[in-house]
Amino acid sequence: MSDTASTPRSRAREQTMRDIVRIGREHLATDGAAALSLRAVARDLGVVSSAVYRYVESRDELLTLLVIDGYDELGNAVDAALAGVDPADHAARMMAIGRSVRAWALAEPATYALLFGSPVPGYEAPAERTTGPGTRVIGRLVEVWEAAWVAGAIDLPDESVGPRRMSRDLARIRREMGITAPDVVIARGMLAWAGLFGCTSFEVFGQYGADAFAEPKDLFEHHLRVLVATVGL
């Protein structure tokens, strides 16, 4: 529904939903996902606890809203970073994606942990609502790799990636994503995808140790260059 067709009631409801998500993320940062409470959100919203259930029916629904909001915010950050990069500079576009993922994760560690950290006990994100938002970043990475492949800008050996069953899996992925890049690009792309989020997680969750590097960004930049080279860019 467009703004011109919306009613005061619908606009008020949309604002309340935005407030619930905002307060939910504040509680996520201070209390953690497992301790999220609709009663606490209602208190900060300034309504009785029963009123908030008219908007969000359960803690799990609140978690789902936070998951979607987090994925969308991360996806928007990646899109904004790509907006200023030459579409023909495939390596620069992959670097921009990596840097924007790291910057967002460091700015929003609690939400990053909800998306990519340990599962919340008793909660399973509904795939039909979270898969789309959750695959925006890998979608942008795949777009870069496919564009580079079509342009002849990927330099990789024509190597076998594994047993026939793996090739069948990669062929299915190729069909589902509508791309033409060969097995080696898809397989190495998955390594780069896992490596990007692995490096980000190590930094966000303090796995390197507090005093290991004077500037962790330097290590990340090195790793990002290696991941770019991994896919032949």
Side-chain angles (χ1 to χ4, degrees):
M1 181 179 293
S2 67
D3 289 340
T4 56
S6 63
T7 65
R9 176 176 292 182
S10 67
R11 290 195 295 273
R13 180 176 180 82
E14 290 168 3
Q15 182 60 55
T16 299
M17 291 298 296
R18 287 193 292 269
D19 288 341
I20 288 172
V21 170
R22 173 181 55 79
I23 293 169
R25 284 184 62 166
E26 291 171 357
H27 285 232
L28 185 68
T30 57
D31 304 326
L36 275 179
S37 163
L38 280 175
R39 289 181 178 274
V41 170
R43 182 186 64 241
D44 287 0
L45 190 61
V47 300
V48 296
S49 58
S50 58
V52 80
Y53 287 95
R54 295 201 297 267
Y55 299 92
V56 181
E57 64 183 17
S58 66
R59 182 211 68 158
D60 284 6
E61 173 64 13
L62 176 58
L63 282 168
T64 297
L65 292 174
L66 298 184
V67 166
I68 294 170
D69 187 63
Y71 278 138
D72 279 342
E73 192 172 276
L74 174 57
N76 291 342
V78 167
D79 286 350
L82 287 173
V85 184
D86 181 357
D89 193 339
H90 310 293
R93 289 179 74 79
M94 185 171 167
M95 294 287 285
I97 292 171
R99 288 167 180 154
S100 62
V101 167
R102 174 183 179 269
W104 182 84
L106 291 175
E108 299 291 342
T111 302
Y112 181 87
L114 175 64
L115 303 182
F116 302 107
S118 299
V120 180
Y123 171 73
E124 183 174 350
E128 68 277 8
R129 296 176 62 189
T130 59
T131 298
T135 54
R136 285 179 61 183
V137 173
I138 182 56
R140 292 295 179 263
L141 286 168
V142 169
E143 288 170 3
V144 171
W145 302 329
E146 173 69 1
W149 172 254
V150 171
I154 287 183
D155 181 18
L156 287 176
D158 184 16
E159 62 185 15
S160 172
V161 299
R164 184 172 297 178
R165 62 177 175 269
M166 183 173 172
S167 291
R168 289 195 295 266
D169 291 337
L170 295 174
R172 185 189 70 253
I173 292 170
R174 187 180 297 108
R175 290 192 303 271
E176 290 175 350
M177 303 199 76
I179 59 177
T180 62
D183 287 0
V184 63
V185 175
I186 299 173
R188 288 192 177 214
M190 289 188 169
L191 172 60
W193 176 32
L196 168 59
F197 281 92
C199 292
T200 301
S201 294
F202 256 58
E203 188 172 353
V204 171
F205 301 140
Q207 295 300 307
Y208 292 122
D211 302 320
F213 296 95
E215 179 47 77
K217 182 180 179 180
D218 297 339
L219 180 65
F220 181 84
E221 287 289 318
H222 168 73
H223 286 163
L224 190 53
R225 290 192 297 271
V226 171
L227 294 175
V228 169
T230 295
V231 296
L233 296 176

